[in-house]
């Protein structure tokens, strides 16, 4: 799932930005709008099930995204 977020979603947003011929700022907004998986943590906390593993998984998916997402946005420009 983490690979999907880090590779497939930015690739899909890149293709969409190119198809729509978006300017760099609009493409950046599109990339920034990709979800982080926080909903998984919200559900885990609400139902008090596997809160610690879910929070770790969300953090491990978000930290690399903080590096890869700006790189992809620079490529789009």
């Amino acid at each position: 799932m983490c690979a999907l977020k880090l590779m497939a979603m930015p690739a899909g947003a890149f293709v969409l930005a190119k198809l729509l011929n978006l300017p760099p700022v609009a493409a950046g907004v599109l990339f920034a709008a990709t979800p982080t998986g926080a909903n998984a943590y919200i559900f885990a906390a609400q139902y008090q099930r596997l809160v610690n593993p879910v929070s770790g998984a969300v953090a491990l998916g978000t930290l690399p995204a903080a590096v890869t997402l700006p790189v992809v946005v620079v490529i789009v420009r």
Side-chain angles (χ1 to χ4, degrees):
M1 191 56 118
C2 188
L4 179 66
K5 183 199 178 329
L6 294 176
M7 294 174 11
M9 290 183 69
F14 176 78
V15 169
L16 185 61
K18 287 297 184 183
L19 287 174
L20 297 175
N21 199 20
L22 295 177
V25 173
V29 170
L30 178 66
F31 282 107
T34 57
T36 62
N39 288 339
Y41 176 77
I42 292 168
F43 281 118
Q46 181 176 357
Y47 293 109
Q48 294 298 307
R49 300 281 189 234
L50 301 171
V51 175
N52 289 335
V54 169
S55 66
V58 170
L60 286 176
T62 302
L63 289 175
V67 174
T68 59
L69 203 53
V71 170
V72 174
V73 170
V74 167
I75 291 169
V76 171
R77 292 184 0 158

